[in-house]
Amino acid sequence: MPIELATNDAVEIAARAIRSGQLVAFPTETVYGLGADATCGLAVAKIYEAKQRPSFNPLIIHVLDLQSAAQYGNLNILARRLAETFWPGPLTVVVPRTPQSKIAELATAGLETIALRVPAHPVACALLRQAAGPIAAPSANRSGHVSPTSAAHVCADLGDAPAFILDGGPTPLGLESTIVAVCDQQATLLRAGAITRDELQSALGQSLLEPCRGGKYAPAAPGQLARHYAPRSTLRLNAAAPGIGEAWLAFGPVGTAHQGAFFNLSPSGDLREAAANLFAALRELDASAGEAIAVSPIPETGLGEAINDRLRRGAAPNPSAA
Ligand code: TXA
Ligand code: MG
């Protein structure tokens, strides 16, 4: 069993595991998180794999303080007011990503926004300090299950997918963080959580918008994000080969004789590598001159299901509504 009592030594070893691209489950004041180096696409792909989620949901990026948060997200006055009032603590803010941010695109599922949180739990803070970088971490449960509030819950759900499960006892709050999206001078409550609406509104000095009334970053429906990156070009899925004028999004050992724009998600046919490359590949081919992108078949197994889900949305007639 990968459960380790969260001693200083264990946290140090776990931080090394994070830096080397492995997964570590750790306690926060809300629930246990399943963490990976947020700057490493391959490590982030392991999170989706372990959770067995059939689609890519953007992850919360955990950082040590407001100053680090500001490296990855543009926090305007409103977002800073929230951060200064509630961080460290159970609040996640969704703000525009900074350009050239080092965060892997897979961690934010290709969105222009990023969810940031500074946790208050001593083990989470020690891990962040020692890992010396941002940690992407969803709740450490298998997709569709409830969030874990003890190391034993994590182990029951994820087994030995994490290299370590740092046991810091039961989580004090037991409820996920509140998520607020801040766009211009408006704040939208995306997920109710440990910090209440009243607490937020009194810190903001204004009312929160409801997600259905739609701030720019609000989900169109529960679990559905309005602003997923939608390619401009048409995607032609399960293509054996590209046609004339088409860009080619390949997978597996294919020849590279193609004249047009070309990106191989994984020449060796590794789905983890393909997931890590997916959003950057779509952007790159989309920026090329071709009107359409031919996409090689991708197996529906493991991470392939989430990759295909994303590609199917991109191929739908009106992807901006997906
Ligand atoms: O308390 C918590 O927030 C825990 C601990 C581990 O920090 N984490 C957590 O993560 O609950 P997760 O992945 O289970 O839930 C994060 C939610 C998802 O529903 C995701 O859609 C949303 O945050 N989210 C992340 N990035 C977003 C973005 N850019 N825009 C809108 N929603 C976002
Ligand atoms: Mg969750």
Side-chain angles (χ1 to χ4, degrees):
M1 278 220 300
I3 297 183
E4 292 276 343
L5 207 60
T7 59
N8 289 345
D9 285 353
V11 171
E12 201 179 311
I13 295 168
R16 230 176 285 147
I18 293 262
R19 285 200 303 266
S20 70
Q22 293 178 276
L23 301 183
V24 170
F26 61 97
T28 78
E29 73 279 29
T30 58
V31 299
Y32 275 73
L34 179 64
D37 175 355
T39 65
C40 172
L42 276 178
V44 171
K46 292 182 190 171
I47 293 180
Y48 291 105
E49 207 169 49
K51 284 189 62 99
Q52 300 186 357
R53 204 167 187 283
S55 61
F56 296 121
N57 205 12
L59 307 175
I60 296 176
I61 309 303
H62 297 69
V63 291
L64 204 48
D65 50 30
L66 174 54
Q67 207 184 336
S68 330
Q71 279 181 259
Y72 309 115
N74 278 322
L75 285 90
N76 67 12
I77 292 176
L78 216 52
R80 274 175 195 273
R81 199 177 300 155
L82 289 174
E84 279 160 9
T85 311
F86 299 107
W87 282 352
L91 174 74
T92 298
V93 295
V94 173
V95 295
R97 271 179 80 131
T98 49
Q100 268 89 54
S101 144
K102 288 186 309 187
I103 304 294
E105 283 227 54
L106 186 61
T108 53
L111 293 172
E112 301 294 337
T113 55
I114 183 166
L116 290 160
R117 156 158 142 76
V118 176
H121 195 286
V123 174
C125 297
L127 185 68
L128 280 164
R129 203 170 302 115
Q130 309 240 14
I135 296 181
S139 50
N141 52 283
R142 186 165 288 196
S143 174
H145 292 190
V146 293
S147 295
T149 57
S150 73
H153 294 168
V154 178
C155 192
D157 252 31
L158 300 177
D160 55 10
F164 296 98
I165 300 172
L166 289 174
D167 187 352
T171 57
L173 298 173
L175 188 64
E176 295 91 346
S177 64
T178 302
I179 306 182
V180 177
V182 178
C183 176
D184 305 326
Q185 289 316 306
Q186 291 178 328
T188 304
L189 184 64
L190 296 187
R191 179 175 76 183
I195 292 174
T196 65
R197 173 192 299 272
D198 285 350
E199 289 174 301
L200 290 164
Q201 291 185 159
S202 71
L204 287 167
Q206 68 187 58
S207 304
L208 286 163
L209 295 184
E210 295 305 316
C212 54
R213 304 233 332 257
K216 197 156 126 198
Y217 303 134
Q224 227 198 1
L225 291 157
R227 288 174 62 83
H228 255 301
Y229 170 69
R232 173 192 59 84
S233 330
T234 314
L235 300 183
R236 187 168 68 81
L237 305 184
N238 294 314
I244 293 163
E246 280 184 327
W248 189 11
L249 184 60
F251 175 80
V254 298
T256 50
H258 182 54
Q259 294 294 308
F262 174 80
F263 196 119
N264 195 333
L265 288 171
S266 171
S268 66
D270 175 359
L271 288 166
R272 205 180 268 172
E273 184 185 18
N277 284 331
L278 179 65
F279 292 100
L282 283 173
R283 256 177 231 281
E284 185 178 314
L285 294 185
D286 209 21
S288 71
E291 278 303 301
I293 302 173
V295 185
S296 296
I298 290 166
E300 275 288 342
T301 52
L303 280 175
E305 196 179 349
I307 295 173
N308 282 319
D309 168 76
R310 188 65 199 84
L311 290 169
R312 276 192 292 268
R313 288 174 199 237
N318 182 7
S320 62

